[in-house]
């Protein structure tokens, strides 16, 4: 049985996962549709960390800037569900 998926929730889950990785100093290295999964309960997950890397301090600062953008996107996704 297939349920409808709330795309805003799935995208917010992806953004949250990427933000978490970047805050830990990890770069996934191969984000694409094949490495993004949606569970039966409608949550998004990132898989396959075989190309992941530990980032340098400079990379982490850059990702922190993108993380602020990711926060804004995640917040926008959640707000549009209301």
């Amino acid at each position: 049985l297939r349920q409808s998926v709330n795309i805003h929730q799935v995208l917010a889950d992806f953004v949250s996962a990427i933000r978490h990785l970047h805050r830990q100093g990890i770069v996934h290295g191969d984000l694409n549709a094949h490495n993004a999964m949606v569970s039966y309960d409608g949550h998004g997950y990132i898989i396959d960390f075989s190309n992941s890397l530990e980032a340098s301090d400079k990379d982490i600062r850059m990702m922190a800037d993108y993380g602020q953008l990711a926060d804004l996107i995640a917040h926008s996704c959640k707000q549009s569900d209301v």
Side-chain angles (χ1 to χ4, degrees), residues 46-62:
I46 297 172
I47 62 169
D48 187 4
F49 290 83
S50 61
N51 291 320
S52 62
L53 303 168
E54 193 170 346
S56 70
D57 288 341
K58 180 181 176 185
D59 293 333
I60 291 170
R61 284 193 301 276
M62 181 183 70

Side-chain angles (χ1 to χ4, degrees), residues 1-81:
L1 226 351
R2 188 173 199 161
Q3 297 178 352
S4 67
V5 174
N6 180 337
I7 190 66
H8 297 289
Q9 176 63 51
V10 172
L11 291 174
D13 290 343
F14 290 149
V15 169
S16 178
I18 294 165
R19 183 178 58 233
H20 178 74
L21 288 171
H22 289 179
R23 288 182 177 161
Q24 300 302 313
I26 299 169
V27 177
H28 185 276
D30 190 25
L31 284 175
N32 62 60
H34 298 286
N35 293 331
M37 303 295 291
V38 179
S39 66
Y40 284 107
D41 63 351
H43 288 281
Y45 294 92
I46 297 172
I47 62 169
D48 187 4
F49 290 83
S50 61
N51 291 320
S52 62
L53 303 168
E54 193 170 346
S56 70
D57 288 341
K58 180 181 176 185
D59 293 333
I60 291 170
R61 284 193 301 276
M62 181 183 70
M63 288 185 294
D65 292 339
Y66 286 117
Q68 291 174 353
L69 177 61
D71 287 340
L72 178 62
I73 293 168
H75 180 72
S76 296
C77 287
K78 289 180 181 177
Q79 290 299 317
S80 66
D81 287 342

